[in-house]
Amino acid sequence: MTKSQRFWLRAARLLSDPGLFDSERERVLAEHPLLNANGLGLSKSTPIDLDAARDELRTGGDCEPGIRHTLEYFAEARVSLSYRLRGCGWARDFDGPAPRKRSSYGLKHQVESYFRARRRRREGDAGMPPTNRYTSNGAFICAALMAGLQMWPYQDSINPYFRLGRPWAVAGMQPQDYPHPADERMARFWRWAVQHDVSDPLVEDFIVDTVDLLYGGADLKQLEEAVARGGSQARDVYDRLRREFGFEDSDETAPARLGFMAGQIDVPDDFDSMGGPEIEQMFGTVA
């Protein structure tokens, strides 16, 4: 099991086990006496009541939903602790490279953005009430420490740093986010394709390029466009992987290409000379 997978499972277990959730929250608060709803420590520009701000993180406090939202984000979005994928021949060692350090304040906004984007995908914006997924800086820090992440305090800032990458390329493309059966199957295909364990350098190059696109947020259409831009070599690898996955050329998800009607149209033997006399009569014989 990879580091990222252990991280997702721990976040999911914290959400499903109330006793573990409460005990880990109290452990984090005891180990970090300056952790409060606003962050780690006190802001010089905004004086606060430290005890009251810490109580917001405790059971029944205002920040508890934010802690749960953060853990849900870790578990559901498959946030990465590494940029390598298990199963790829070019990245058998899954333990690196690590994502760069990022501020907790920026990461907490990433949690909020994830839920806004998920809502738009699933429900659309028309006529839907706003979704309250506010996550305070302190709630994010508390959840990250509960999930076992390492923290790097940054000078005298209330915003410590963590190493968290983008949602994992493979698990981040969730088939259930695609309502059309053909799109869902294509999402499953791409998840399967980038986990290929192969020694063929052409396939490995294709996988590396695809993973880069996925980490950049590419959707199904953009992945298809990238195959087209890659020329005949990329198309050959793509077609090979599709066949291994179980697609047939007749599948509705197969992209249109020359020769796709082969065997489905009968061409007469005299096709090249059809209408010859009539054409000669109309235009005369060409010398």
Side-chain angles (χ1 to χ4, degrees), residues 10-18 21 67-69 71-72 75:
R10 178 167 176 79
R13 186 184 170 200
L14 285 164
L15 287 169
S16 63
D17 187 334
F21 182 96
I67 297 174
R68 294 188 179 276
H69 295 161
L71 292 171
E72 185 179 353

Side-chain angles (χ1 to χ4, degrees), residues 3 20 23 32 59 61 82 87 114 142 171 175 208 218 225 260 274 280:
K3 290 192 303 183
L20 179 64
S23 65
H32 302 278
T59 305
S82 168
Y114 171 79
C142 186
V208 172
E225 291 171 346
F260 74 100
M274 288 177 63
E280 185 176 340

Side-chain angles (χ1 to χ4, degrees), residues 134-213:
Y134 172 74
T135 300
S136 74
N137 188 38
F140 175 87
I141 297 169
C142 186
L145 295 173
M146 289 167 63
L149 290 181
Q150 183 176 355
M151 177 176 67
W152 285 269
Y154 180 70
Q155 299 176 1
D156 59 350
S157 171
I158 64 172
N159 308 314
Y161 279 26
F162 295 91
R163 287 192 186 277
L164 277 181
R166 298 183 182 184
W168 197 42
V170 178
M173 178 166 277
Q174 299 288 353
Q176 58 266 32
D177 290 339
Y178 296 90
H180 191 283
D183 290 342
E184 178 184 351
R185 192 177 182 199
M186 283 304 299
R188 294 186 185 280
F189 161 73
W190 285 110
R191 288 181 60 180
W192 168 85
V194 295
Q195 293 182 90
H196 237 52
D197 188 2
V198 296
S199 56
D200 186 331
L202 295 180
V203 178
E204 292 194 1
D205 287 344
F206 182 90
I207 291 172
V208 172
D209 292 342
T210 302
V211 169
D212 286 343
L213 288 168

